Every structure is written in structure tokens, then in C-alpha cells.
Amino acid sequence: MDKATLGQYRYLLKEIKSLEARIKKLERVSSDKVTASNVEFPYQRISVTVEGVESTQAAEKLRAILRHRRMECEAAKLSIESFIAGIDDSRTRLVFERRYIYGWSYQKISIYLGSRHESYARYIHDEYLKSTAEE
């Protein structure tokens, strides 16, 4: 796993949320008011609300595409989470978790780990990626 792939985590969360909103919007109920008359005398005009789900072939195809994209994003997110969970060293795992899942800066992570130097967390991060790239 490389930095670019790990950096996609927060964007994947946003994309999943966006896709879910679009899917929900496609599945919303449409309603309209129409004019009708009473079935019995006196035949007065009344307004009736008609509700239903719009289901065209294009909407179904778009819904399938959006669901597929959401599944791909979920799989990528799970892959990143699995990679981070698979790190044996607790300190290194904390650095990766705080950096990619929570979006913390290296400086904030270093302070969290008890160091005053910003490069401390970056060093741990880069050394681990370098060691996994050599394997």
C-alpha cells in the first residue's frame, strides 16, 4: 500500500456519503395533486394527491451504477482499514490511524505520541512504508 492509496481514505468516506444521498434521492416518492369529482351526487370538484415512485429504465440503470460505485468505494475503504489494522507495531499503527483515518497532521501526531518534533511521526510513517515496499 502506498501513500496515495492511503490518502484516499477520507475522500472515499465523502464519496460514499455523496453516493448514498444520490441513491436516496432517486428512490424518493413523487407526488402530485389532480382534480377529481365526488363519486356520489353532488359531483363536486375535489383535489386528490397521487403518490408513487418514479421508475424509468434510465433511473434504474443510474441506480445500479451508483450502487456499484458505492460497493467499490466500500471495498477500497475496507482495504485501507485492513492494511492499518494489520500493522504489528502499536506506535506505527497509531501514526497511520491518526494520519489517514482521523486526518491529523504529523505535528499533532508527534505531540500525541509525546515528541515535540514534527518529523518524529513522519519518520515512523516513512520508515514503515519503506520497509513494506522492500518486502
Side-chain angles (χ1 to χ4, degrees), residues 37-45:
S37 63
N38 285 334
V39 290
E40 297 177 3
F41 186 79
Y43 304 107
Q44 298 169 324
R45 284 177 132 178

Side-chain angles (χ1 to χ4, degrees), residues 54-65:
E54 291 184 38
S55 182
T56 62
Q57 189 175 12
E60 289 298 322
K61 190 173 183 178
L62 180 59
R63 216 172 291 158
I65 291 168

Side-chain angles (χ1 to χ4, degrees), residues 83-98:
F83 174 77
I84 292 172
I87 298 173
D88 294 329
D89 182 43
S90 179
R91 181 183 62 177
T92 306
R93 191 171 48 249
L94 273 173
V95 169
F96 275 81
E97 184 178 270
R98 298 293 186 244

Side-chain angles (χ1 to χ4, degrees), residues 70-81:
R70 185 182 66 195
M71 286 187 340
E72 287 177 343
C73 289
E74 290 283 353
K77 178 183 142 193
L78 184 62
S79 171
I80 293 169
E81 294 250 5

Side-chain angles (χ1 to χ4, degrees), residues 6-135:
L6 289 167
Q8 289 293 309
Y9 185 84
R10 306 219 14 113
Y11 299 110
L12 287 169
L13 294 178
K14 289 180 182 185
E15 186 175 359
I16 289 168
K17 189 175 180 180
S18 171
L19 290 170
E20 287 173 348
R22 286 183 66 192
I23 291 169
K24 188 175 182 178
K25 188 176 179 181
L26 284 173
E27 293 174 350
R28 72 175 182 202
V29 176
S30 297
S31 65
D32 198 9
K33 283 193 172 191
V34 295
T35 304
S37 63
N38 285 334
V39 290
E40 297 177 3
F41 186 79
Y43 304 107
Q44 298 169 324
R45 284 177 132 178
I46 58 171
S47 294
V48 178
T49 303
V50 180
E51 294 181 346
V53 177
E54 291 184 38
S55 182
T56 62
Q57 189 175 12
E60 289 298 322
K61 190 173 183 178
L62 180 59
R63 216 172 291 158
I65 291 168
L66 293 175
R67 285 187 185 125
H68 180 71
R69 281 181 52 200
R70 185 182 66 195
M71 286 187 340
E72 287 177 343
C73 289
E74 290 283 353
K77 178 183 142 193
L78 184 62
S79 171
I80 293 169
E81 294 250 5
S82 297
F83 174 77
I84 292 172
I87 298 173
D88 294 329
D89 182 43
S90 179
R91 181 183 62 177
T92 306
R93 191 171 48 249
L94 273 173
V95 169
F96 275 81
E97 184 178 270
R98 298 293 186 244
R99 178 73 179 159
Y100 295 109
I101 294 178
Y102 296 112
W104 287 13
S105 67
Y106 286 119
Q107 183 177 15
K108 188 173 180 180
I109 298 167
S110 295
I111 292 169
Y112 179 76
L113 294 176
S115 176
R116 294 178 298 162
H117 301 286
E118 175 266 335
S119 61
Y120 178 68
R122 186 186 309 270
Y123 176 78
I124 293 168
H125 175 273
D126 292 346
E127 285 300 309
Y128 184 78
L129 283 182
K130 194 183 302 180
S131 71
T132 57
E134 292 172 356
E135 293 175 359

